[in-house]
Amino acid sequence: MAQQADITAMRRAVELAARGLGATSPNPVVGCVITDASGHPVGEGWHQRAGGPHAEVHALREAGVLARGGTAYVTLEPCNHTGRTGPCAQALIEAGVSRVVYAVGDPNPQATGGADTLRAAGVEVGQGLLEDEAQAVNIAWLTSVRHGRPFVRWKYAATLDGRIAAADGTSRWISSAESRADVHRLRAEADAVVVGSGTARADDPHLAVRGIEEAVQPLRVVVDTEATAVKPGARVLDDAAPTLIAIAEDAETGLPDVVRLPRAGRGLSVPALLDALHERGVRSVLLEGGPTLAGAFVAAGAVDQVVGYLAPVLLGAGPQALADAGITTITEALRLDVTETVRIGTDIRITATPKER
Ligand SMILES: NC(=O)c1ccc[n+]([C@@H]2O[C@H](COP(=O)([O-])OP(=O)(O)OC[C@H]3O[C@@H](n4cnc5c(N)ncnc54)[C@H](OP(=O)(O)O)[C@@H]3O)[C@@H](O)[C@H]2O)c1
C-alpha cells in the first residue's frame, strides 16, 4: 500500500500538472515532484508550454545534486524519446534518482518505454499511484491520443426548465456573474472554442478569455457553412485571439482565415471539423453551442464531457439546451455519469460524461 508521503507528493504533482492546462498542446500536461534520499521535497516542476522543458527537467534543475538517491513522482510515465527536448527517463537516470513513481502509463507509441529504460538502469519503478486523479487532469490529451481527435467539452447555461434563451431570442444573462467568470477558466483550459453560425448571428460573441492572467488564448472557431454569419467587424474577428471560420468547400467568402470542409447533415461534417482542428494542434475543444450545433456533435458521438450551468430561473418558452441529436426513442438516450456538482454563485454547475456504450 502507498505511504502517505507518496500520496502527498503525487497529489502535489497533479496540482502542478493542472497549471499547464491550455498551454501545452499538442503535448500532455505533466507535473513532477522530487524528494531527496530522506523523503524531503527538493524540486518541483510542470510542463509549461509545448516545446519547453518537460516537468521532470524543471524539477531536476530545482533539486540539483539533492536528487541523487531520491524519488521522482511524475503524473505521466517519463518519456523515452527525443522530441523537441531530450528523453526524461535518461535525465532521471543521469541525475541519480533511485526511485520513480508515475501515475499513468504513456499511451503515445512514440514516447512509451520510459519505465523499461529506468528499470534497465537499476531504478526502482512504481506505477498507478493516484492514477484516476492524474488521468482526470490529463483527460483532454489522453482522449485525443486514444481517439485521434480533440477532446470535446460541451458547455451550456440554462434555466431550471432547460432553456438557453427566451422565446424572442434574448439570453443575456441567464447565468450568474460567477458562472460566466468560470466559463473564462474553461476557455483558458481549451485550445479552441467553437460556436455555430446561429450563435454568431444572435449574440456576436467575442469568445476570447478575459480576466485570467497569462492565459493562452484559444483559437476561436465559428462553424458558418455558407460564410454568411461572420461579417467584417464581428467581435470574433478582433485581434484578442486567433480566429478560424469553418465554411463549406463551395462557399464564397472574402474572409482570410477559413477552413473549407465537406457538407454533412444540417451543415458541415463534425468529424471533418475535428480532424482539421487536430491537424492544427488542437487537443481540447470547448463547444459553446448553440443547441443545433451541439445536437450535431452529440449525434456524431463527439461529446466527451458536458458542463451545464443551471440557473434558478424559469422561462417556460424558448430554445432548449440541446436540439435534435438523432435520438428518437428512449432506448437510444445518451446516458451520462455525473462526476461533479458544485454551487457557483446562484447557479449549480453539473459536470457529466457519457457512459461507455
Ligand atoms: N445559454 C447558452 O449556453 C447558449 C450558448 C450558445 C447559444 N445560445 C443561444 O442559442 C441560440 C442560437 O442557437 P442555434 O441552434 O441557432 O445556433 P448554433 O447551434 O450556434 O448554430 C446552428 C447553425 O450552425 C450551422 N451548422 C454548421 N454545421 C452544422 C452541423 N453539422 N449541424 C448543425 N448545424 C450546423 C447551421 O447553420 P449554417 O449551416 O447555415 O451555417 C446551423 O443552423 C441563440 O439564441 C443564442 O443566444 C445560448
Side-chain angles (χ1 to χ4, degrees), residues 77-81 106-114 141:
E77 180 181 354
C79 72
N80 201 32
H81 79 310
D106 195 327
N108 184 351
Q110 283 174 334
T112 193
W141 182 80

Side-chain angles (χ1 to χ4, degrees), residues 174-194:
I174 286 175
S175 57
S176 65
E178 291 86 345
S179 291
R180 297 196 309 271
D182 196 56
V183 169
H184 283 274
R185 182 186 58 78
L186 298 188
R187 285 183 185 168
E189 287 183 5
D191 298 331
V193 176
V194 175

Side-chain angles (χ1 to χ4, degrees), residues 62-295:
E62 198 174 292
V65 293
L66 297 175
R68 193 156 291 278
T71 299
Y73 299 87
V74 200
T75 54
L76 186 70
E77 180 181 354
C79 72
N80 201 32
H81 79 310
T82 305
R84 282 185 275 188
T85 59
C88 291
Q90 201 55 42
L92 290 162
I93 293 164
E94 281 164 18
V97 166
S98 60
R99 186 165 76 112
V100 172
V101 181
Y102 66 92
V104 180
D106 195 327
N108 184 351
Q110 283 174 334
T112 193
D116 293 341
T117 300
L118 289 162
R119 274 191 211 98
V123 177
E124 184 189 335
V125 178
Q127 195 234 318
L129 180 64
L130 301 191
E131 192 170 8
D132 289 352
E133 289 173 41
Q135 279 197 7
V137 78
N138 229 346
I139 191 67
W141 182 80
L142 289 167
T143 303
S144 73
V145 172
R146 282 179 198 135
H147 298 329
R149 60 147 175 90
F151 169 82
V152 177
R153 174 183 272 167
W154 168 46
K155 159 265 151 189
Y156 67 90
T159 61
L160 207 49
D161 58 329
R163 317 260 169 196
I164 50 86
D168 68 355
T170 51
S171 61
R172 288 192 179 155
W173 296 107
I174 286 175
S175 57
S176 65
E178 291 86 345
S179 291
R180 297 196 309 271
D182 196 56
V183 169
H184 283 274
R185 182 186 58 78
L186 298 188
R187 285 183 185 168
E189 287 183 5
D191 298 331
V193 176
V194 175
V195 296
S197 59
T199 301
R201 270 196 196 92
D203 300 341
D204 189 16
H206 189 232
L207 303 179
V209 180
R210 288 188 304 276
I212 299 179
E213 267 179 46
E214 294 181 27
V216 176
Q217 291 290 349
L219 176 67
R220 300 178 289 185
V221 182
V222 181
V223 189
D224 183 12
T225 314
E226 312 301 341
T228 51
V230 182
K231 302 211 165 66
R235 294 174 72 221
V236 80
L237 294 177
D238 73 4
D239 58 6
T243 301
L244 183 68
I245 313 297
I247 65 173
E249 283 156 337
D250 55 351
E252 285 177 25
T253 182
L255 293 172
D257 295 318
V258 298
V259 58
R260 292 183 179 273
L261 300 175
R263 292 174 186 266
R266 285 159 293 172
L268 298 177
S269 157
V270 170
L273 170 68
L274 291 174
D275 280 351
L277 294 176
H278 194 263
E279 258 174 43
R280 284 169 168 72
V282 169
R283 296 294 178 265
S284 60
V285 163
L286 181 67
L287 174 63
E288 292 207 27
T292 307
L293 189 62

